[in-house]
């Protein structure tokens, strides 16, 4: 008898792709300044590959008052990308929100950062590798 265990994850969050040639530390600083956040280095996300491990730095800030968690994730590593559907994107901003934040307003604010070349909201449900976004 084969027993299958099915895990269910909560993918109820906003996800923004950010194209920017800045370092992860610099884009954190720029986002903090533009959005009034305090993103700081949290950890390294490790994704096992066939012959290596893909390591992606991530930065996090929790707004306790509003119940919002912001996580900036580096999409690129030496070995791979976090979300293969978006190989051209440098970073992802994941926003876990209890207040139903205005996604378009947030996207516009990020887009006004001079070194950000593109910023768009993506549909999490349509991602094949969305499980890589569940950690912590």
């Amino acid at each position: 008898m084969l027993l299958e265990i099915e895990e269910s994850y909560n993918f109820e969050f906003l996800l923004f792709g950010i194209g920017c040639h800045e370092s992860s530390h610099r884009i954190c600083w720029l986002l903090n300044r533009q959005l009034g956040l305090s993103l700081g280095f949290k950890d390294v996300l490790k994704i096992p590959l066939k012959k290596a491990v893909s390591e992606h730095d991530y930065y996090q800030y929790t707004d306790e008052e509003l119940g919002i968690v912001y996580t900036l994730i580096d999409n690129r590593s030496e070995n791979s990308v976090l979300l293969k559907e978006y190989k051209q994107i440098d970073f992802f901003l994941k926003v876990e929100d209890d207040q139903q934040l205005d996604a378009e307003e947030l996207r516009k604010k990020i887009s006004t950062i001079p070194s950000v070349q593109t910023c768009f909201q993506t549909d999490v449900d349509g991602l094949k590798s969305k499980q890589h976004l569940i950690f912590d």
Side-chain angles (χ1 to χ4, degrees), residues 49-119:
L49 303 173
K50 290 180 182 175
K51 296 184 179 185
V53 174
S54 183
E55 296 184 346
H56 304 267
D57 291 348
Y58 70 96
Y59 303 77
Q60 202 164 61
Y61 167 67
T62 302
D63 184 328
E64 300 287 345
E65 189 175 309
L66 296 176
I68 302 172
V69 178
Y70 297 88
T71 307
L72 181 72
I73 312 157
D74 201 337
N75 190 39
R76 300 172 192 267
S77 75
E78 286 184 30
N79 302 323
S80 185
V81 292
L82 182 66
L83 298 180
K84 295 187 186 320
E85 297 93 329
Y86 292 107
K87 292 179 184 178
Q88 72 281 12
I89 293 302
D90 301 297
F91 301 97
F92 288 99
L93 182 64
K94 175 182 167 184
V95 182
E96 299 169 79
D97 173 27
D98 293 337
Q99 302 294 319
Q100 297 304 323
L101 198 69
D102 184 343
E104 182 58 20
E105 181 68 24
L106 182 58
R107 188 199 65 73
K108 285 179 183 177
K109 284 183 179 180
I110 295 168
S111 294
T112 63
I113 297 171
S115 57
V116 169
Q117 296 158 334
T118 188
C119 179

Side-chain angles (χ1 to χ4, degrees), residues 15-44:
L15 187 66
F16 298 90
I18 301 173
C20 175
H21 294 300
E22 299 286 357
S23 68
S24 52
H25 288 43
R26 175 84 173 144
I27 191 65
C28 272
W29 182 80
L30 292 166
L31 287 169
N32 285 343
R33 202 171 99 190
Q34 181 69 15
L35 304 176
L37 306 178
S38 293
L39 287 163
F41 179 77
K42 176 78 173 178
D43 206 348
V44 177

